[in-house]
Amino acid sequence: MTGVGGGSLMTPLLTLLFGIHPSVAVGTDLAFASVTKVAGTVAHRSRGTVRWDIVKRLSLGALPAAIATALILKYLGGISAEIGQVIRYSIAVSVLLTVIALLFRGKLQTWLNAHPERHLRGRNLTLATVFAGVVLGALVTMSSIGAGAVGATILVLLYPRLTPAEVAGTDIAYAVPLTAIAALGHWWLGSIDWSLLGSLLLGSVPGITLGSLAARAVPEKFLRGLLAVTLTSVAVKLIY
């Protein structure tokens, strides 16, 4: 319905509503995302709305960060209770970042378009993109959240001249290898529930259809506001 929020809501709901361990919720959601984002990448690629040069820069930072984060989780104990609590807090932080991205992305883009002298260029832009990939890679592997609204907002900040379709296509394309590698890391940690994954994939097909139909009837501004309020409530519940 909104283009964002699936990842941001999935992991918290699995944790809070169904009592799934945070590590298992993250790992299963990453496996789910790695499958579903492939279709989106194919669609955007066919329309020419993927900036592969930006995907490469983000991946240079995100993929090593995802591997390193998985190794750290393994070293610290994988799905122990203590690590589960750390992941729970990382989910809450990621959800709040998503809320900020939802509420202020448009204003940030407007401000950047009005101040072209603030745009990064050349080597500085490349380094900033790779660093953003590092942050997103760690964030996504820890919480399964960040590759959607947060990643798209970072793209808008770094590349304000991208069209909305290019932002969406590029954001989805780099997320495919990132979520796949992060999911492999969680499979290695033993934190993927395969039966749960099958149920999520089975439910996603009618969900996408219903959401597409509903999106035509409900104002986008209302949906994003509702999503922001819901995500904020979820983040508070995760912390307390």
Side-chain angles (χ1 to χ4, degrees), residues 111-180:
W111 185 87
L112 284 170
N113 288 334
H115 298 83
E117 72 278 1
R118 300 288 186 177
H119 297 182
L120 293 176
R121 293 177 176 83
R123 185 169 180 270
N124 289 337
L125 179 59
T126 299
L127 291 175
T129 307
V130 173
F131 177 74
V134 172
V135 174
L136 288 169
L139 194 65
V140 169
T141 306
M142 279 287 290
S143 68
S144 81
I145 302 167
V150 177
T153 302
I154 288 175
L155 284 175
V156 167
L157 292 174
L158 296 177
Y159 300 89
R161 289 189 174 89
L162 291 179
T163 66
E166 287 175 329
V167 170
T170 304
D171 187 43
I172 291 173
Y174 97 88
V176 170
L178 171 56
T179 53

Side-chain angles (χ1 to χ4, degrees), residues 3 13 16 19 25 28 68 70 102 107 129 146-147 185 200 207 237:
L13 286 178
L16 296 174
T28 306
L102 280 171
K107 293 180 179 179
T129 307
L200 292 173
K237 179 66 175 176

Side-chain angles (χ1 to χ4, degrees), residues 40-61:
T41 300
V42 171
H44 278 281
R45 183 177 182 275
S46 66
R47 294 195 296 266
T49 52
V50 177
R51 283 285 302 273
W52 294 106
D53 56 327
I54 301 175
V55 170
K56 180 180 178 181
R57 294 170 189 170
L58 286 170
S59 298
L60 282 174

